[in-house]
Amino acid sequence: MPLTPLDIHNKEFARRLRGYDEDQVNEFLDQIIKDYEAMIRENKELQNMVAASQDKLGHFSNIEETLSKTIIVAQEAADELRNNAKKEAHLIVKEAEKNADRIINDSLAKSRKIALEVEELKKQATIYRARFRALIESQMELLSQDGWESLDGREPRGIES
């Protein structure tokens, strides 16, 4: 067990002939007691400071660990958001491509249908023209025949043949 200032203070030395000067020894012991007490106080203060520093270090270590975990979680969340955004963008592009293909195919089908209808209308117009021309020609032929004057029983007036 280490010495205490009280142990030093209470220490008695045996007296002998031709011994040391008792006052000098007591003064020296008093100085040792003061220095020893100061060292004990300083040691206690240093121990308290070390304990406080260790507490702070532990606290900051916990903060550091928490921040590290938070950063990791945030990075994972950001990665997940980025991946989800990429997937969503990919799906949107695919959907847009499908819609574009459908619109193009519908437009091509309508265009083909209209082109066929136009061709059919041209054919019908050609047939109609031909029939109308034939009808007009046959009517003209009928009009140019001589038998019209005899139908009403009168002679045609002002018409010279």
Side-chain angles (χ1 to χ4, degrees):
M1 180 165 168
L3 287 176
T4 65
L6 192 58
D7 291 337
I8 296 171
H9 182 65
N10 291 333
K11 178 67 176 167
E12 296 269 336
F13 295 99
R15 296 181 195 268
R16 294 209 172 151
L17 187 64
R18 292 186 178 179
Y20 291 106
D21 182 3
E22 190 175 330
D23 290 333
Q24 281 183 351
V25 169
N26 285 337
E27 276 181 35
F28 186 69
L29 287 176
D30 286 342
Q31 184 63 41
I32 290 174
I33 289 170
K34 285 180 192 175
D35 291 348
Y36 196 64
E37 284 176 346
M39 288 179 84
I40 288 174
R41 272 193 303 271
E42 185 181 346
N43 190 15
K44 201 60 141 164
E45 288 174 11
L46 289 173
Q47 286 177 349
N48 289 339
M49 288 173 56
V50 166
S53 295
Q54 286 177 338
D55 286 345
K56 285 182 182 178
L57 181 63
H59 176 70
F60 288 127
S61 292
N62 287 338
I63 290 174
E64 179 186 19
E65 184 178 334
T66 302
L67 287 174
S68 293
K69 288 179 182 177
T70 302
I71 289 171
I72 289 171
V73 168
Q75 190 171 7
E76 288 173 352
D79 289 344
E80 186 175 339
L81 281 174
R82 185 175 28 251
N83 289 337
N84 287 343
K86 283 181 182 178
K87 288 177 185 176
E88 189 172 338
H90 183 69
L91 290 175
I92 289 170
V93 167
K94 285 289 186 189
E95 188 66 28
E97 287 173 351
K98 282 184 195 176
N99 286 339
D101 287 345
R102 182 183 49 78
I103 290 169
I104 289 171
N105 289 336
D106 288 350
S107 297
L108 286 174
K110 286 179 183 178
S111 171
R112 287 183 191 120
K113 183 178 176 184
I114 290 171
L116 289 174
E117 288 175 0
V118 166
E119 287 300 315
E120 183 62 30
L121 287 174
K122 284 180 181 178
K123 286 179 187 176
Q124 287 178 3
T126 303
I127 292 171
Y128 175 75
R129 252 178 94 201
R131 285 183 182 170
F132 192 63
R133 179 178 282 132
L135 177 65
I136 289 176
E137 287 174 356
S138 68
Q139 292 300 316
M140 292 294 285
E141 221 175 279
L142 280 175
L143 286 174
S144 63
Q145 289 179 359
D146 290 337
W148 283 101
E149 290 101 19
S150 63
L151 287 179
D152 64 0
R154 295 185 281 156
E155 280 294 316
R157 287 186 253 171
I159 301 179
E160 295 178 16
S161 316

